Amino acid sequence: MSIDTREAGVPRTATQLMKVRGMSMSYGTGAAENKILENLDLDVSAGEFVSIVGPSGVGKTTLLRCLSGLLQPKAGTISVGGQEINGPHPDLAVVFQDYSRSLMPWMTTRENVAFPLQGKGLGKIERNALAEHNLQAVGLAGQGDKYPWEMSGGMQQRVAIARALAYNAKVLLMDEPFASVDAQTRFDLEDLVITLQQELGVTIILVTHDIDEALYLADKVVVIAEKPATVVDEIETGFGDHRDQVETKADPRFAEARARILHRLRAH
């Protein structure tokens, strides 16, 4: 059962974009089979920000890789816009946790952002223009000629986000993207992603073990637990478009939802 704590007058997004039904994932076979996910269902609406939270090692990254098409689940279906996913899909883009490995050090930031666009058949001028536009969107205007190793960790992750945005996918999948930066940079990146999501209307699915981050960012928090993991709770956050690192986290609804998530995780 889910709680709807949305503010009065804030409409739900009606159009379903991603649908997951009965998804299971395991490694190995027979007696050596290691079941990671089992009979997992998930619904994501267009323009929605969904956080998936669970303890470390529960299978969040495995889930994200299945959603992205990088892994094929053993059972169940995943569809985007009514089309079943059986591999990497043009409507999906991924921002990984390890930004230092996802960026190519011999390429400038502009080249890193523009590189995936070659697969869309765009010419160099158009690719570079899109790269510059999206670098500006993440606060890196004029930084296109720098190399990743000349930038801080927070700036490198902004480049990774810009690359995902430039691909113009319908769904942005984020795998604990702020786990490797300091606390203040993390807050800045969280607020950046909220702003981008609201301005661009992109659908975002973020996996994290940080309950506060999950609640602060999302319209809906999906809690996964157990072994093998499945959905044990869903919470509509109800904070609307305005989020503030102090005010939102001081909201009594935030504390209530946080306690509920902790209870769910400790119960499993």
Side-chain angles (χ1 to χ4, degrees), residues 77-95:
T77 60
I78 304 168
S79 61
V80 174
Q83 182 180 5
E84 189 169 336
I85 296 174
N86 294 304
H89 195 281
D91 285 340
L92 304 171
V94 184
V95 177

Side-chain angles (χ1 to χ4, degrees), residues 130-144:
L130 281 170
E132 290 289 356
H133 173 76
N134 285 281
L135 284 171
Q136 181 176 356
V138 300
L140 294 177
Q143 304 296 311

Side-chain angles (χ1 to χ4, degrees), residues 182-196:
D182 63 83
Q184 185 57 56
T185 300
R186 183 175 192 148
F187 295 156
D188 291 342
L189 289 172
E190 288 174 352
D191 290 337
L192 169 68
V193 169
I194 288 173
T195 299
L196 292 171

Side-chain angles (χ1 to χ4, degrees), residues 134-195:
N134 285 281
L135 284 171
Q136 181 176 356
V138 300
L140 294 177
Q143 304 296 311
D145 290 326
K146 286 189 176 180
Y147 291 90
W149 45 268
E150 295 180 292
M151 298 179 135
S152 67
M155 293 174 74
Q156 289 182 50
Q157 192 60 297
R158 285 172 184 256
V159 175
I161 294 170
R163 181 174 59 190
L165 293 174
Y167 197 69
N168 197 31
K170 293 181 180 178
V171 182
L172 184 59
L173 302 164
M174 308 186 82
D175 183 11
E176 303 204 45
F178 316 130
S180 300
V181 297
D182 63 83
Q184 185 57 56
T185 300
R186 183 175 192 148
F187 295 156
D188 291 342
L189 289 172
E190 288 174 352
D191 290 337
L192 169 68
V193 169
I194 288 173
T195 299

Side-chain angles (χ1 to χ4, degrees), residues 38-90:
E38 187 169 65
N39 198 29
L40 189 145
D41 293 340
L42 180 67
D43 292 303
V44 181
S45 297
E48 192 174 28
F49 198 131
V50 176
S51 289
I52 300 173
V53 66
S56 295
V58 76
K60 297 186 299 297
T61 294
T62 297
L63 170 57
L64 195 79
R65 289 180 178 272
C66 288
L67 296 180
S68 69
L70 296 174
L71 281 178
Q72 185 68 29
K74 293 293 180 70
T77 60
I78 304 168
S79 61
V80 174
Q83 182 180 5
E84 189 169 336
I85 296 174
N86 294 304
H89 195 281

